[in-house]
């Protein structure tokens, strides 16, 4: 559901991300991961549809190198990065995602190395909407959202609240590809005087099936996931870039994975897991004339109970991070500013080694010029592995772990620009990154399993994002080039599920066309030139993926919308995750009403 705002001064629709065209998916209701699927700088590798299960990677990293945050805190799943994107929050409650790489992820995220996706809490307004939809393969879905701002104040601050509900079910685009998803949210918000405090509670339940969901052995697999999240966040903006933000959260994730949905289940399911995470964080920026201090600190504590992840001595862990980055600005004679940031981060855990990582950036900035910002940066970051990699049976089973996996280290050097050219706004960067001891899952011929192996990978890359708007047309273009050189240190590896599953060239094109005062056309495209992978059995290595949506809003009933959407328009069979079958083309129709 993309719901219209009632006030004429506000945008016609709630935009979850300005860099993609379609703000809602075809196969279910929108989730935070929805706006990332065609994001120019993000690679989402989905199993069936992204809202069911998706791996999110940036700049050629893998799903476990990518961090997620809301407000001040880093959301984290200690079992596996496959569940990092299990965020039980309605997108209507979140601002547009900010994509962090290089120095941004090194300072702003915990236990992530290559990139991070950061969401702010959205300001609540008096608005609401509901929708119902249906489509092929027995799809039924519905959403409801209501925001309310009270006339009363508390402590001199405005009081607001919002609630959201969503449900989706379908028989599935392939046999045994059925799903049933539910989400409920509630939030209270206090705001005023530059401050905003959010208190949130959310629950999400997901059941979905898909052949070869995680393994290439022709089995009909299922996932049953329940995620609970409580969070509190407070942010105060002082002006001129100064701010302070602090937050805390509690997250519980329960997962029951079935390799064969038809196999009899005994009293102890073979892959039953539950994880708990508690976290607190604080960050800010304090300025003195032409100097400033950027700081951040975070502490996470996790716990796991599992019927299969039983190898190794511990079931709990603590992770901490502190970042201090002083900043100095010089004003040049032409009015431009040179900004230098130099500092370090400290990562620690009670279960592995600690590490101090340097960060540095120098930038020239001037508003009004074509090149508004030119920068060069060097940043190091590190993380520790998840429990699935550390505590799976190293000698048997479908997923074979490695208790000797240590701290992963990433070193990123990049040069970039951003600015305005001939009506286009955009940014570009060239980077070189070395990932040491990155945890990958690999395949060896004759072994019916995937194995956690460390790999040293050197990645060279270039990325470009450009946008332009006309009265009736918005266009966003993205391009990424990647090249890798890997070393598995003598391990027997015939194929990589993740580290070597990347597009050497990836081109995205998002188009929003306002055809008439009543009709709007939205098209997202992604063209890929994929690196070869022997695990990929269908769909080739040069797919074109397209999603399209046409919305009709009659003049007489502007609060009513009718949207027809199609995903995988060209019926591409490309396996985004090697050996996982692609979903065929799917069409749905959604009727929405806003107030």
């Amino acid at each position: 559901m993309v719901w219209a705002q009632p006030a004429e001064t506000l945008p016609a629709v709630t935009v979850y991300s300005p860099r993609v065209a379609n703000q809602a998916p075809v196969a279910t209701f929108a989730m935070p991961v929805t706006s990332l699927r065609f994001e120019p700088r993000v690679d989402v590798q989905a199993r069936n549809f992204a809202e069911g299960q998706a791996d999110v990677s940036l700049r050629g990293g893998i799903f476990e190198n990518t961090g997620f945050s809301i407000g001040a805190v880093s959301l984290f799943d200690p079992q596996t990065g496959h569940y990092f994107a299990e965020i039980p929050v309605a997108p209507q409650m979140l601002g547009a995602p900010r994509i962090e790489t290089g120095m941004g992820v090194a300072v702003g995220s915990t236990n992530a190395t290559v990139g991070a996706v950061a969401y702010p809490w959205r300001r609540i307004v008096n608005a609401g909407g509901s929708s119902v939809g249906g489509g092929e393969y027995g799809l039924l879905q519905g959403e409801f959202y209501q925001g309310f701002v009270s006339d009363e104040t508390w402590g001199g601050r405005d009081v607001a609240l919002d609630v959201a509900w969503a449900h989706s079910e379908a028989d599935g685009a392939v046999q045994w590809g059925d799903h049933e998803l539910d989400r409920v949210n509630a939030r209270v918000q206090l705001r005023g005087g530059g401050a905003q405090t959010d208190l949130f509670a959310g629950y999400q339940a997901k059941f979905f099936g898909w052949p070869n969901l995680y393994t290439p052995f022709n089995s009909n697999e299922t996932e049953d996931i329940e995620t609970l999240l409580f969070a509190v966040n407070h942010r105060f903006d002082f002006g001129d870039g100064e701010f302070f933000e602090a937050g805390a959260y509690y997250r519980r994730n329960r997962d029951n994975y079935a390799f064969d949905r038809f196999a009899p289940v005994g009293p102890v399911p073979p892959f039953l897991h539950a994880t708990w995470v508690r976290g607190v964080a604080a960050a800010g920026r304090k300025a003195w004339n032409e100097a400033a201090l950027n700081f951040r600190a975070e502490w996470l504590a996790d716990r796991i109970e599992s019927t299969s992840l039983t190898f190794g001595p511990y079931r709990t862990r603590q992770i901490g991070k502190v970042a201090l980055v002083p900043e100095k600005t010089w004003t040049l004679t032409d009015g431009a500013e040179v900004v230098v940031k130099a500092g370090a981060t400290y990562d620690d855990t009670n279960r592995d080694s600690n590490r101090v990582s340097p960060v540095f950036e120098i930038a020239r900035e001037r508003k009004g010029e074509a090149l508004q910002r030119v920068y060069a940066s060097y940043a190091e970051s590190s993380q520790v592995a998840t429990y699935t990699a550390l505590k799976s049976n190293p000698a048997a089973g479908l997923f074979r772990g490695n208790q000797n996996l240590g701290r992963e280290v990433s070193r990123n050097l990049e040069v970039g620009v951003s600015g305005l050219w001939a009506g286009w706004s955009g940014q570009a960067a060239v980077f070189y990154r070395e990932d040491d001891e990155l945890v990958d899952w690999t395949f060896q011929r004759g072994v019916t399993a995937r194995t956690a192996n460390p790999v040293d990978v050197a990645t060279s890359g270039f990325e470009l994002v450009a946008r332009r708007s006309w009265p009736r047309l918005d266009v966003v273009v993205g391009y990424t080039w990647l090249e890798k050189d890997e070393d598995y240190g003598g391990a027997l590896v015939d194929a990589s599920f993740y580290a070597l599953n990347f597009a050497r060239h990836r081109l995205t094109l998002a188009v929003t066309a306002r055809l008439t005062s009543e009709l709007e056309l939205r098209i997202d495209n992604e063209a890929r030139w994929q690196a070869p992978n022997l695990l990929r059995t269908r769909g080739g290595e040069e797919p074109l993926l397209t999603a399209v949506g046409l919305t009709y809003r009659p003049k007489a009933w502007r609060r009513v919308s009718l949207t027809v959407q199609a995903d995988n328009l060209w019926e591409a069979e490309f396996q985004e995750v090697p050996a996982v079958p692609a979903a065929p083309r799917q069409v749905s129709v959604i009727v929405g009403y806003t107030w």
Side-chain angles (χ1 to χ4, degrees):
M1 173 181 64
V2 181
W3 51 278
Q5 301 271 18
E8 293 295 326
T9 58
L10 295 175
V13 298
T14 294
V15 176
Y16 303 145
S17 173
R19 295 175 295 273
V20 298
N22 289 282
Q23 303 293 310
V26 172
T28 184
F29 53 83
M31 298 181 184
V33 72
T34 300
S35 63
L36 302 178
R37 186 174 168 220
F38 289 98
E39 160 69 45
R41 300 176 65 202
V42 179
D43 192 1
V44 176
Q45 299 161 5
R47 294 168 169 85
N48 186 5
F49 54 91
E51 295 74 19
Q53 203 289 313
D55 297 336
V56 179
S57 66
L58 282 77
R59 287 187 170 182
I62 74 167
F63 60 99
E64 292 196 328
N65 304 142
T66 303
F68 287 87
S69 65
I70 300 180
V73 297
S74 299
L75 300 183
F76 174 65
D77 188 284
Q79 180 196 338
T80 173
H82 292 309
Y83 304 146
F84 283 7
E86 296 297 332
I87 303 174
V89 185
Q92 294 95 327
M93 297 182 177
L94 301 174
R98 185 177 68 254
I99 309 303
E100 299 282 12
T101 54
M103 187 170 183
V105 64
V107 174
S109 190
T110 299
N111 214 53
T113 53
V114 176
V117 183
Y119 297 91
W121 288 105
R122 188 188 293 270
R123 184 182 178 92
I124 299 172
V125 298
N126 278 312
S130 63
S131 69
V132 293
E136 294 182 283
Y137 315 112
L139 173 65
L140 293 172
Q141 67 180 83
E143 286 191 76
F144 171 85
Y145 173 85
Q146 178 63 62
F148 172 74
V149 181
S150 173
D151 294 331
E152 303 294 328
T153 61
W154 189 71
R157 302 172 66 188
D158 294 332
V159 180
L161 62 91
D162 57 357
V163 294
W165 165 89
H167 172 80
S168 172
E169 59 183 76
D171 298 329
V174 302
Q175 189 177 25
W176 312 120
D178 50 322
H179 81 258
E180 183 172 353
L181 314 180
D182 290 280
R183 183 185 62 217
V184 290
N185 293 157
R187 177 174 58 142
V188 176
Q189 185 177 88
L190 300 175
R191 63 184 188 232
Q196 178 176 306
T197 304
D198 294 272
L199 180 63
F200 170 84
Y203 170 79
Q204 184 170 275
K206 297 169 52 172
F207 172 85
F208 54 92
W210 200 250
N212 280 15
L213 184 64
Y214 290 105
T215 67
F217 308 126
N218 300 315
S219 182
N220 291 305
E221 306 173 38
T222 63
E223 282 259 49
D224 195 345
I225 304 173
E226 294 183 30
T227 309
L228 181 67
L229 177 65
F230 295 105
V232 60
N233 194 82
H234 174 77
R235 182 180 176 97
F236 195 100
D237 287 292
F238 301 94
D240 297 326
E242 286 190 277
F243 74 95
F244 176 78
E245 187 168 29
Y249 77 97
Y250 167 90
R251 180 183 184 271
R252 187 202 68 200
N253 196 69
R254 289 177 176 168
D255 165 53
N256 188 357
Y257 161 72
F259 170 69
D260 181 356
R261 68 186 298 168
F262 304 110
V265 179
V268 179
F271 300 103
L272 182 64
H273 319 286
T275 59
W276 293 262
V277 179
R278 295 169 291 143
V280 293
R285 181 179 184 270
K286 175 61 178 176
W288 300 272
N289 297 321
E290 293 185 337
L293 177 64
N294 303 278
F295 60 90
R296 185 172 184 275
E298 185 161 30
W299 173 83
L300 302 170
D302 65 46
R303 178 167 67 94
I304 187 169
E305 294 180 1
S306 173
T307 58
S308 61
L309 306 179
T310 58
F311 289 78
Y314 62 88
R315 303 290 179 269
T316 65
R317 178 173 54 186
Q318 296 182 29
I319 297 172
K321 181 166 188 171
V322 176
L324 293 174
V325 184
E327 173 185 330
K328 174 65 175 176
T329 301
W330 290 269
T331 302
L332 305 180
T333 55
D334 62 357
E337 293 182 337
V338 173
V339 183
V340 175
K341 300 177 182 179
T345 66
Y346 174 74
D347 291 270
D348 196 12
T349 175
N350 62 333
R351 303 302 187 186
D352 209 310
S353 62
N354 56 42
R355 180 175 175 83
V356 175
S357 303
V359 294
F360 174 82
E361 180 183 85
I362 182 170
R364 180 188 184 275
E365 302 174 353
R366 185 176 180 182
K367 296 180 180 179
E369 289 189 346
L371 293 179
Q372 295 183 350
R373 187 170 190 266
V374 182
Y375 72 93
S377 73
Y378 175 80
E380 297 185 6
S381 54
S382 70
Q383 68 181 112
V384 291
T386 58
Y387 285 124
T388 298
L390 290 168
K391 298 189 174 300
S392 295
N393 189 332
L398 297 170
F399 311 97
R400 300 190 180 179
N402 185 342
Q403 297 177 42
N404 297 318
L405 296 172
R407 180 173 288 277
E408 306 169 45
V409 177
S410 181
R411 302 174 180 88
N412 184 82
L413 176 65
E414 68 178 271
V415 177
V417 298
S418 60
L420 300 170
W421 301 275
W424 290 82
S425 62
Q427 63 185 90
V430 178
F431 62 90
Y432 175 79
R433 188 183 69 252
E434 292 181 345
D435 295 311
D436 295 344
E437 302 294 307
L438 182 149
V439 178
D440 189 23
W441 290 89
T442 60
F443 174 80
Q444 181 185 354
R445 289 184 177 95
V447 179
T448 310
R450 64 180 61 189
T451 302
N453 273 313
V455 57
D456 294 339
V457 183
T459 304
S460 303
F462 168 76
E463 62 183 13
L464 168 70
V465 181
R467 179 179 182 178
R468 187 170 181 181
S469 294
W470 293 267
R472 290 190 173 272
L473 188 69
D474 300 327
V475 175
V476 181
V477 179
Y479 171 72
T480 301
W481 167 79
L482 296 171
E483 189 62 46
K484 293 191 175 188
D485 183 16
E486 69 281 354
D487 180 5
Y488 285 91
L492 298 177
V493 174
D494 290 319
S496 160
F497 282 93
Y498 303 112
L500 304 185
N501 178 40
F502 68 99
R504 287 179 169 159
H505 303 274
R506 179 174 179 260
L507 179 66
T508 62
L509 174 63
V511 177
T512 301
R514 293 166 285 277
L515 304 177
T516 70
S517 61
E518 298 180 314
L519 283 176
E520 184 175 74
L521 178 67
R522 293 175 173 261
I523 305 174
D524 284 298
N525 302 276
E526 178 187 25
R528 304 175 67 96
W529 288 262
Q530 197 78 10
N533 192 308
L534 66 83
L535 288 165
R536 184 169 285 108
T537 57
R538 299 193 67 175
E541 295 166 352
E542 299 180 1
L544 174 61
L545 308 173
T546 299
V548 59
L550 182 65
T551 298
Y552 172 63
R553 296 184 183 88
K555 289 183 179 179
W557 303 288
R558 297 301 287 175
R559 298 178 184 273
V560 176
S561 63
L562 174 66
T563 301
V564 180
Q565 301 182 113
D567 198 4
N568 193 6
L569 190 64
W570 315 119
E571 290 272 28
E573 295 185 328
F574 173 70
Q575 297 172 348
E576 298 181 18
V577 179
V580 180
R585 179 174 56 230
Q586 189 165 347
V587 178
S588 66
V589 178
I590 300 174
V591 178
Y593 180 76
T594 61
W595 53 84

